Amino acid sequence: MSRELNFRSGPLVSHPSFDEISAYVRLGHKYQVDQLVQSGLQYLKRYFTDDAEAWFSQTAMVPPMFKDVHAIGVVNLARLTHADWLLPTALMACCELGREITEGFLREDGTREVLSLDDIGRCFAGKAKLAEANLATMHYVLRQDVTAACEHPGRCKYVLRKLMNALLEGHDEAKGLQWYESWQPFIDKVDRGRELCCKCYKMVTETRQEEKETEIFLRLPEMMGVEVEGWAAELKKRKASTVAAA
């Protein structure tokens, strides 16, 4: 598929590389060609988005033709163009990096792309907050309260305790499990006999996880040490509507 950029209609027609996006955004910014800048930013916003539904539906934290380390470049493009809405998820993607978080990467022109010292500091603080979020999610999703309509309270409480123990013991399916990932494969693997009743199973795999994901996604700017006006506005509306309906 061609990677040509369609600047007449605005959005990108396919999946460009990071270097292509970076070149257009930086050239557009330098020569004040707003159409170039906005087209590049609109592509990035598909992946580094404040739309919770779109973000959770992705299978990776970066666009298809990007490497994980290119999240560093996205943070820098956001800083350059004041596109603050890219920062929470881009910084979170940086938090997932290893030593590259300080080393950065080489661009095609041979120059090195690195985070600012301030953003490196945000990432180190963010890593700790994300670890806390993972722990809080674990305890919330697998706490031993069963649903009011539970069909087998004693058995379901036992299974929830078994799941928690398997998680704490480092069950293979749970290794590296993050707050934004589905817990269903882990639960299905450990709870082989479908011992949770259907109502408790739905509560654990859907209701509780969605509640915790919503809470953490809304807090991402705070966790990453940035301020973003109007962050996750649609999610906030849906949450408010749900509370009002209840």
Side-chain angles (χ1 to χ4, degrees):
M1 182 182 291
S2 169
R3 295 184 192 166
E4 182 182 356
L5 306 184
N6 182 358
F7 292 115
R8 289 186 178 180
S9 59
L12 309 182
V13 298
S14 61
H15 296 298
S17 68
F18 169 76
D19 288 296
E20 289 171 320
I21 286 289
S22 180
Y24 279 101
V25 171
R26 290 183 180 279
L27 285 171
H29 182 266
K30 181 177 181 179
Y31 295 107
Q32 299 183 337
V33 183
D34 189 58
Q35 193 175 16
L36 296 183
V37 175
Q38 293 307 314
S39 291
L41 293 181
Q42 282 302 114
Y43 178 76
L44 292 176
K45 193 174 182 180
R46 297 183 199 174
Y47 301 92
F48 302 94
T49 177
D50 68 345
D51 182 331
E53 186 175 347
W55 191 77
F56 283 113
S57 69
Q58 296 173 178
T59 57
M61 285 198 175
V62 297
M65 299 299 292
F66 286 33
K67 296 179 180 178
D68 291 343
V69 72
H70 290 152
I72 289 173
V74 176
V75 170
N76 291 337
L77 291 177
R79 294 297 190 191
L80 176 69
T81 59
H82 305 290
D84 292 345
W85 30 267
L86 295 173
L87 288 172
T89 52
L91 284 166
M92 181 179 168
C94 291
C95 290
E96 300 284 316
L97 299 173
R99 61 189 299 174
E100 304 103 320
I101 199 169
T102 55
E103 294 178 349
F105 64 94
L106 289 177
R107 300 188 191 127
E108 283 186 341
D109 63 6
T111 58
R112 184 166 290 277
E113 184 104 35
V114 295
L115 288 173
S116 69
L117 289 177
D118 284 344
D119 280 331
I120 289 175
R122 288 185 177 90
C123 287
F124 281 122
K127 276 179 175 283
K129 292 175 182 176
L130 290 169
E132 291 174 3
N134 288 337
L135 186 61
T137 301
M138 175 185 76
H139 284 286
Y140 185 77
V141 172
L142 297 181
R143 73 183 192 274
Q144 293 172 39
D145 300 330
V146 298
T147 64
C150 177
E151 299 165 1
H152 306 285
R155 187 179 70 186
C156 288
K157 286 183 179 180
Y158 165 77
V159 173
L160 287 171
R161 185 165 61 250
K162 179 177 73 173
L163 291 168
M164 178 68 81
N165 289 338
L167 191 66
L168 294 173
E169 290 167 4
H171 192 282
D172 286 345
E173 294 297 321
K175 288 178 180 176
L177 194 60
Q178 304 293 320
W179 66 270
Y180 51 83
E181 294 175 321
S182 173
W183 287 63
Q184 192 167 341
F186 161 68
I187 291 169
D188 288 347
K189 188 77 172 181
V190 178
D191 183 19
R192 291 187 181 91
R194 187 69 295 115
E195 294 165 293
L196 282 173
C197 73
C198 60
K199 294 180 176 62
C200 285
Y201 181 77
K202 182 176 180 179
M203 172 191 69
V204 172
T205 60
E206 297 179 24
T207 307
R208 285 183 179 177
Q209 182 160 4
E210 185 177 340
E211 288 173 356
K212 206 62 184 175
E213 285 175 348
T214 297
E215 174 194 326
I216 295 170
F217 193 84
L218 288 172
R219 290 180 48 223
L220 267 186
E222 169 202 337
M223 293 169 70
M224 296 298 106
V226 295
E227 294 184 9
V228 183
E229 185 176 352
W231 173 259
E234 288 302 316
L235 180 59
K236 289 176 181 176
K237 286 181 184 177
R238 290 199 299 272
K239 185 178 181 182
S241 298
T242 301
V243 171

